[in-house]
Amino acid sequence: MDLTSDSDGTSPEMPGSHILLIDDEQDVLPEYKEFLEFAGFKAFTSADPVEAHELVLNTPEIGVVITDLRMAQVDGASMIRNLRAALPAGRHVAFIILTGDASTQLGSDIADVPVFLKPADTDALIAAIRVALSRP
């Protein structure tokens, strides 16, 4: 996939302008992608947290990662911690958690990450994404 130009090939993508949604339930990913794109965002999805980790590190256009909390390979909290540790200095990626677990307790090192319960209030989620994308 070419991430250096818009679909018409005329303008370069802005670093940090894309969203990556990670959820190990593959059947929900197309719905999320469609929702995000309908809301005007450029979106990627991944059901594989290991692949998603590499995608974030190698795709500077990704500025927001929305992750499920409970996943088989790597939980969302560990994903956030690992990415924060691996991202180069000066590269900002915002994180948002989507979870079906209402009893979610986050460690103090990721307490700044907004948490949305599934099914998320779409207006609130869009607002959180816009805030995340607007931060340097």
Side-chain angles (χ1 to χ4, degrees), residues 1-81:
M1 172 179 291
D2 179 12
L3 300 176
T4 59
S5 63
D6 284 338
S7 57
D8 65 1
T10 59
S11 63
E13 297 291 349
M14 299 275 302
S17 63
H18 291 54
I19 299 163
L20 172 63
L21 187 123
I22 308 162
D23 196 316
D24 62 350
E25 294 181 42
Q26 291 186 15
D27 56 327
V28 301
L29 292 177
E31 292 175 38
Y32 281 123
K33 183 174 174 68
E34 184 177 326
F35 158 72
L36 292 168
E37 290 180 345
F38 184 75
F41 303 111
K42 300 251 183 180
F44 301 102
T45 61
S46 178
D48 180 346
V50 175
E51 173 189 79
H53 185 271
E54 291 303 312
L55 185 61
V56 173
L57 293 180
N58 295 313
T59 311
E61 291 82 10
I62 294 173
V64 177
V65 173
I66 303 172
T67 183
D68 188 13
L69 197 57
R70 305 278 183 241
M71 295 183 286
Q73 283 184 298
V74 177
D75 67 90
S78 294
M79 166 76 64
I80 293 167
R81 287 182 190 101

